[in-house]
Amino acid sequence: MSKAKTAGEKATATAESAMENGAAALKTGLEKTLKGYDAFVGYGKETADAVTKSATVAGKGIESINSEIYSYSKQSIEDAVAATKAVMGSKSVHEAFEFQTDFAKSAFEAYVSELSKIGELATATTKQTYAPFKGRVQAWLDTVQSARA
């Protein structure tokens, strides 16, 4: 009978040990899963913040480009009206031709200058818009690696 009692105690001890080891493994696995989940949630929040910052910068950039285009258009119309008045008020065909030539030259130079300004604004806006996303790929890789560890 004592052999049966010893065998029963061994079986009980083995079962208890297995239960403890299983519970510990389950706890460790659950903690690891929760840690990984927190890392992914954190990554998602940081990415959402980057999208918000990017959209804000893009909106301001587009606003400044539109403002520049509006200012140029307004000035261009005012210059055209002034040139038309000068041509109409000229005393000779030669003088009208000179006014028209000067206006065409200055209008072309202003147009080229404005295109350059708008190009610079668009480039700067694009760079600033994508700046918040810099490092997001590396952050994703780091998040995945930390979740796997």
Side-chain angles (χ1 to χ4, degrees):
M1 186 105 160
S2 83
K3 283 186 182 182
K5 190 175 182 183
T6 305
E9 289 173 354
K10 274 187 171 180
T12 303
T14 302
E16 286 177 358
S17 175
M19 290 286 285
E20 288 174 6
N21 289 341
L26 182 63
K27 182 180 177 184
T28 303
L30 185 59
E31 288 173 353
K32 184 177 176 184
T33 300
L34 289 175
K35 182 180 175 186
Y37 177 76
D38 288 342
F40 283 111
V41 168
Y43 173 80
K45 182 183 179 306
E46 290 169 4
T47 300
D49 290 344
V51 168
T52 302
K53 288 177 187 175
S54 177
T56 301
V57 169
K60 288 180 182 177
I62 290 170
E63 185 178 314
S64 60
I65 289 171
N66 285 337
S67 175
E68 186 65 35
I69 290 171
Y70 175 77
S71 296
Y72 169 74
S73 298
K74 182 178 176 186
Q75 186 62 46
S76 179
I77 290 170
E78 289 172 359
D79 291 346
V81 168
T84 302
K85 286 181 181 179
V87 169
M88 294 301 205
S90 61
K91 297 179 179 158
S92 69
V93 174
H94 180 71
E95 186 179 32
F97 183 74
E98 285 181 11
F99 283 138
Q100 181 62 30
T101 302
D102 290 343
F103 170 71
K105 182 180 175 185
S106 66
F108 180 74
E109 289 172 355
Y111 177 74
V112 170
S113 173
E114 190 62 25
L115 282 180
S116 178
K117 282 182 192 176
I118 292 173
E120 289 170 5
L121 283 172
T123 301
T125 298
T126 302
K127 286 180 182 177
Q128 292 171 357
T129 298
Y130 287 106
F133 294 113
K134 208 173 196 178
R136 295 310 309 148
V137 172
Q138 186 60 45
W140 171 251
L141 294 174
D142 292 345
T143 300
V144 170
Q145 289 298 331
S146 69
R148 291 174 58 182

